[in-house]
Amino acid sequence: MLRLKGIDLGRILLGIRICSYCFAALISLSVHAAWQQQWQLELDSGYAQASASPVFASQDQWLADAALRWYPQYHNLQGQLVALSQSKQKQDNQHDLILAELFWKTELAERDLLVGKQRIDLGVSYGFRPLDMFLPYRRNPVAIQVEEGVGVFSLSQFSGNGEYALFYTDSYLATDSEGLQQRGAGLRWYQLSNNSEWQTLAYYDNQRALNLGGSWVSTFGDAWEVHAESRYQQHYRRMVSHLTQTNIGQVAPISEQEFDDGIQALLGMTWANLAGDNLIVEYWFDNRALSQQQWQKVADVSRYLAQQDGGLNQLRYSQGAVFNGQNIMQHNVMLHWHRDIDDWQPAFDLMLAPEDGGVIATARLDYEFVQGWTLGARLRYLGGADNAVYQLLPESRVGLIKLEGRF
């Protein structure tokens, strides 16, 4: 990723426009050039209400994001360049120019060859995807999110109803992948049979060692679908808190440690009707997340430090690093509903933590007022029971409006 900080967004947008014009001019020199491009503009603005968390020094604040995406394509060469601006009332503005994707696809000896930087997500689920393993992103964010690709070399062989692939990936090409950087090689087998499809995956990298995964999707009649996916990883790393009320000042407050045998597994189903209603129910488990007992220790020591002299705030806020995992809780339940009503698309997500009664609820409403242009609104609540871990997150409510269009 190319990242430029502290640069005016107007200059970034002008630069990306100039690059596109120069590229288009060069391509136009070829009479038979197969040149295509598309632009996408995303704008959002909203307000985040801070929680009463003892772990984070959060404050109520306004926020705004803007992203201009350029999708050029010339023959088998495709790319995605993003100019991103993020502004928060109580924080410094950030302006980035991100080369999200740039890859080339061709055929070699009756096999498909792909070389470059591409977003790869082999998952089949909605709320969490264990097979999104090369550079995972948080699912279903309310604000703008740029999902950057990884370096990839892939050679695929298609059969009548399946695919075999040998691939190499390198996420070090994405500088936003701190803590998720690895490079490795793997094999993938995909098969489609009647109303079912499944895949198996074996991947070895320099950080997690062996990764084994698979997925299965099957439809029943016109209304029902069942899906499952899982992954085993030989090693994984996570932040661990060492503080208790009796060892303050005697130990490091937090450190990153390596553990063995990470397991993620998900089971879900989808139901749909002719009126446009779609309902998804999913449960997943991730043993890489902290247990309920470990979260209770983090909450107890954070509340204790909050009651002490203000000089201990740095220790208290250090506990926020344990929230950086892909999943906060080990056990998770997701309920999702959306409906397609001509130009209107309402949706609702309810994520539950059965262990402590935590709740994250998200309502969405999008309206396509002109072909290709959508106006939307998002509302998210984070909390639940008084002792829920989600109560420790820095925000309790987020609301925003957004505009998105392609041209």
Side-chain angles (χ1 to χ4, degrees):
M1 178 178 76
L2 178 62
R3 178 172 293 277
L4 305 175
K5 296 183 181 292
I7 296 180
D8 182 75
L9 177 61
R11 295 183 180 179
I12 291 180
L13 300 183
L14 177 61
I16 194 173
R17 280 285 188 181
I18 292 174
C19 290
S20 69
Y21 294 151
C22 293
F23 194 17
L26 291 174
I27 297 301
S28 66
L29 296 177
S30 173
V31 177
H32 303 290
W35 164 253
Q36 298 178 8
Q37 67 173 338
Q38 187 174 54
W39 295 84
Q40 180 178 346
L41 177 65
E42 298 174 79
L43 304 172
D44 68 38
S45 179
Y47 185 77
Q49 179 179 325
S51 69
S53 171
V55 182
F56 296 94
S58 54
Q59 303 179 58
D60 297 351
Q61 60 181 336
W62 293 94
L63 53 90
D65 304 308
L68 180 62
R69 304 174 191 257
W70 178 45
Y71 300 91
Q73 180 176 350
Y74 175 61
H75 288 293
N76 296 331
L77 182 65
Q78 301 179 43
Q80 180 188 169
L81 186 64
V82 186
L84 176 67
S85 178
Q86 297 174 302
S87 175
K88 291 187 177 182
Q89 182 181 2
K90 304 295 177 64
Q91 300 178 23
D92 293 337
N93 297 342
Q94 182 172 315
H95 310 298
D96 304 319
L97 185 59
I98 305 169
L99 181 60
E101 292 185 307
L102 183 62
F103 58 91
W104 176 63
K105 296 190 297 184
T106 189
E107 186 173 310
L108 177 65
E110 299 184 350
R111 292 172 176 82
D112 288 345
L113 174 66
L114 185 148
V115 180
K117 183 179 183 182
Q118 186 187 41
R119 171 79 173 122
I120 302 176
D121 179 0
L122 302 177
V124 300
S125 307
Y126 176 79
F128 170 58
R129 294 186 167 184
L131 296 185
D132 183 8
M133 56 187 289
F134 305 108
L135 185 57
Y137 285 87
R138 194 162 300 281
R139 300 285 298 160
N140 310 306
V142 293
I144 294 173
Q145 176 173 267
V146 177
E147 299 188 358
E148 191 179 358
V150 298
V152 59
F153 175 91
S154 174
L155 193 63
S156 303
Q157 172 70 56
F158 289 89
S159 61
N161 55 358
E163 176 191 6
Y164 304 88
L166 172 66
F167 60 89
Y168 169 86
T169 69
D170 186 344
S171 66
Y172 288 88
L173 294 181
T175 56
D176 231 10
S177 62
E178 184 178 354
L180 300 169
Q181 295 174 333
Q182 78 280 321
R183 59 173 60 97
L187 294 166
R188 175 177 176 257
W189 174 63
Y190 169 84
Q191 192 74 16
L192 174 65
S193 178
N194 297 324
N195 296 325
S196 299
E197 60 180 82
W198 57 89
Q199 65 178 329
T200 58
L201 179 73
Y203 177 75
Y204 191 93
D205 64 56
N206 63 331
Q207 297 293 334
R208 301 167 298 189
L210 181 63
N211 295 261
L212 299 173
S215 68
W216 169 71
V217 179
S218 187
T219 58
F220 301 90
D222 297 327
W224 294 93
E225 176 263 9
V226 177
H227 56 272
E229 64 178 294
S230 63
R231 176 163 65 97
Y232 164 83
Q233 64 184 79
Q234 189 173 353
H235 307 302
Y236 64 94
R237 304 185 69 86
R238 74 168 181 228
M239 303 302 293
V240 176
S241 172
H242 304 292
L243 287 182
T244 65
Q245 297 181 16
T246 59
N247 67 3
I248 295 173
Q250 304 174 26
V251 298
I254 198 165
S255 68
E256 186 180 43
Q257 295 183 6
E258 183 174 284
F259 299 88
D260 296 331
D261 302 325
I263 298 174
Q264 307 110 64
L266 180 145
L267 178 64
M269 69 175 186
T270 303
W271 172 83
N273 63 19
L274 296 178
D277 293 291
N278 292 264
L279 179 64
I280 301 174
V281 180
E282 292 180 335
Y283 163 80
W284 67 89
F285 170 76
D286 186 349
N287 77 333
R288 301 171 304 171
L290 270 65
S291 67
Q292 186 63 29
Q293 293 75 20
Q294 291 170 319
W295 277 121
Q296 190 60 54
K297 291 180 180 179
V298 171
D300 290 344
V301 73
S302 298
R303 293 189 180 100
Y304 174 78
L305 290 170
Q307 297 169 0
Q308 308 307 308
D309 184 83
L312 297 178
N313 282 342
Q314 186 175 357
L315 283 178
R316 175 159 61 101
Y317 299 147
S318 70
Q319 302 302 289
V322 300
F323 287 82
N324 291 338
Q326 196 172 0
N327 281 302
I328 294 178
M329 306 300 295
Q330 290 189 349
H331 298 273
N332 305 270
V333 174
M334 168 69 79
L335 304 175
H336 166 79
W337 168 85
H338 75 266
R339 188 173 189 182
D340 299 323
I341 314 173
D342 296 327
D343 298 329
W344 293 89
Q345 291 188 337
F348 183 74
D349 290 343
L350 184 63
M351 184 171 172
L352 305 174
E355 296 171 273
D356 64 3
V359 175
I360 298 179
T362 307
R364 298 178 174 86
L365 181 62
D366 292 312
Y367 172 64
E368 187 177 18
F369 59 93
V370 177
Q371 185 174 3
W373 287 86
T374 301
L375 183 65
R378 306 285 188 268
L379 291 173
R380 173 165 287 177
Y381 162 80
L382 307 95
D386 291 341
N387 62 341
V389 175
Y390 293 156
Q391 294 279 9
L392 302 178
L393 293 171
E395 300 164 342
S396 61
R397 292 171 179 82
V398 179
L400 57 83
I401 58 174
K402 64 180 303 181
L403 175 69
E404 180 178 329
R406 288 180 176 265
F407 52 97

